[in-house]
Amino acid sequence: MRQLLSILTPMYNEAAGLGEYFQALEAALAPLDIDYEIVCVDDGSRDDTLSLLKQHAERNPRIKIVALSRNFGKEAAMTAALDYASGDVALPMDADLQDPPELIAAMLAKWREGYQVVYAKRSSRKTDGLIKRKTARLFYKVFNRLSDIKIPEDVGDFRLLDRGVIEAIKQLPEKDRFMKGLFCWPGLKHTVIEFERQKRAQGTSKYNYWNLWNFALSGITSFSTFPIRAGIYLGLTVATFSFLFGLWVIFKTVITGVDVPGYASLLVAVLFMGGIQLFFLGLLGEYIGRIYKEVKNRPIYLVEDEIGFHADKAKTP
Ligand code: UDP
Ligand code: MG
């Protein structure tokens, strides 16, 4: 039996580039010695994405659609795609042709050599602005310093995943899904190929700096508890110093008597400590919010419609 490759594509308002995407993708997939399915998750698009998808699915039955009931975000849409994929191997790809389909053949070749994960790493970030480049660098540095699970730098969701890896990821029940981290959690045998990432073919990125900041925060707090533990060390350090300072003040009062100055330094110390306390309270809130989200145990996404899946394959989350 021929093996099956599942292409997984979350789509949010991607109507403008859809035709171009399928054309490039199908051209790259046709010559490969593998069957394929393209699992498209419509993440509650407000444009014509879904109706266009239906037209394409009629033209090519290998195009399958999972329509979510509203916009759940890319990470949830990707989770849906993983749940619906039935391939021996899967490849998440963005709908904007920033992940070049021409790379699929090389990635499959690596998979056939026995690698279970093949990362596609951006060889440069030329298409990104200076701020994006610097902040991305900083994020990977901080994340990998704090988390037990290391994520490779400049690798997006574009990576080939063997069925074994998919099954492992599906066992991770968390509601807050930082896919970059979850994809790395199973470990297993992996390799890297490099590519040059192009600019978006159509439309604009769905992420601004505020989204990216929240994304980074969610990633770090999902994979590390160091930020709240840092409070212990900071608190201990400050307490030790203030104890020593107190001893010194007593000593000084005994020797030279009482003096009044110190208003400025007192205010600085109080405000500084207040700031640090608020910071760690906020951090605590972040983790408690996360616990709250897990405890509620709501489904990660809700499917409104599914097209192209066999009745026995169709799953509900
Ligand atoms: N996307 C999605 N849901 C969202 C936001 C984005 O499914 O809420 C999809 C989007 O349609 C695209 C992919 O995620 O296929 C990557 O989005 P984008 O190109 O905007 O991100 P960037 O390339 O800037 O990281
Ligand atoms: Mg993009």
Side-chain angles (χ1 to χ4, degrees), residues 135-144 151 178 180 216 220:
T135 47
R137 231 20 265 271
L138 184 69
F139 169 74
Y140 285 109
K141 253 210 171 118
V142 172
F143 186 98
N144 284 333
I151 58 175
F178 182 67
K180 264 182 210 271
I220 290 170

Side-chain angles (χ1 to χ4, degrees), residues 10 12 14 43 71 74 94-96 98 200 205-207:
Y12 180 54
E14 298 287 1
D43 188 14
N71 181 246
K74 182 184 176 185
D94 288 356
D96 54 10
Q98 284 194 293
R200 220 174 200 285
S205 172
K206 310 285 184 290
Y207 297 91

Side-chain angles (χ1 to χ4, degrees), residues 109-269:
K110 288 283 181 198
W111 175 65
R112 290 198 164 121
E113 278 173 32
Y115 292 102
Q116 283 166 295
V117 180
V118 185
Y119 301 122
K121 181 177 158 64
R122 302 171 65 169
S123 48
S124 80
R125 280 185 167 263
K126 276 202 294 246
T127 51
D128 287 344
L130 186 70
I131 303 178
K132 179 92 184 263
R133 268 201 308 255
K134 292 277 181 224
T135 47
R137 231 20 265 271
L138 184 69
F139 169 74
Y140 285 109
K141 253 210 171 118
V142 172
F143 186 98
N144 284 333
R145 177 66 64 84
L146 298 184
S147 160
D148 294 338
I149 289 162
K150 307 293 172 224
I151 58 175
E153 204 166 321
D154 297 338
V155 175
D157 289 345
F158 188 38
R159 57 184 84 193
L160 198 84
L161 306 164
D162 180 73
R163 175 48 58 185
V165 182
I166 300 171
E167 290 306 324
I169 295 169
K170 280 163 74 174
Q171 287 178 37
L172 304 179
E174 57 229 76
K175 306 295 168 191
D176 224 307
R177 302 189 72 79
F178 182 67
M179 293 310 289
K180 264 182 210 271
L182 298 183
F183 280 148
C184 291
W185 179 85
L188 300 169
K189 203 172 166 218
H190 57 83
T191 185
V192 179
I193 59 174
E194 299 212 348
F195 77 110
E196 197 65 58
R197 196 167 197 245
Q198 303 303 316
K199 277 214 157 75
R200 220 174 200 285
Q202 292 281 340
T204 52
S205 172
K206 310 285 184 290
Y207 297 91
N208 55 32
Y209 281 110
W210 177 243
N211 298 143
L212 286 174
W213 160 254
N214 283 323
F215 187 58
L217 203 64
S218 142
I220 290 170
T221 47
S222 286
F223 279 85
S224 169
T225 50
F226 180 79
I228 28 175
R229 263 187 298 139
I232 299 175
Y233 303 108
L234 200 68
L236 270 180
T237 313
V238 174
T240 311
F241 275 111
S242 46
F243 180 70
L244 293 176
F245 182 66
L247 286 183
W248 185 75
V249 169
I250 292 170
F251 173 74
K252 211 176 137 227
T253 317
V254 169
I255 301 295
T256 63
V258 189
D259 62 353
V260 187
Y263 172 71
S265 55
L266 205 66
L267 197 68
V268 167

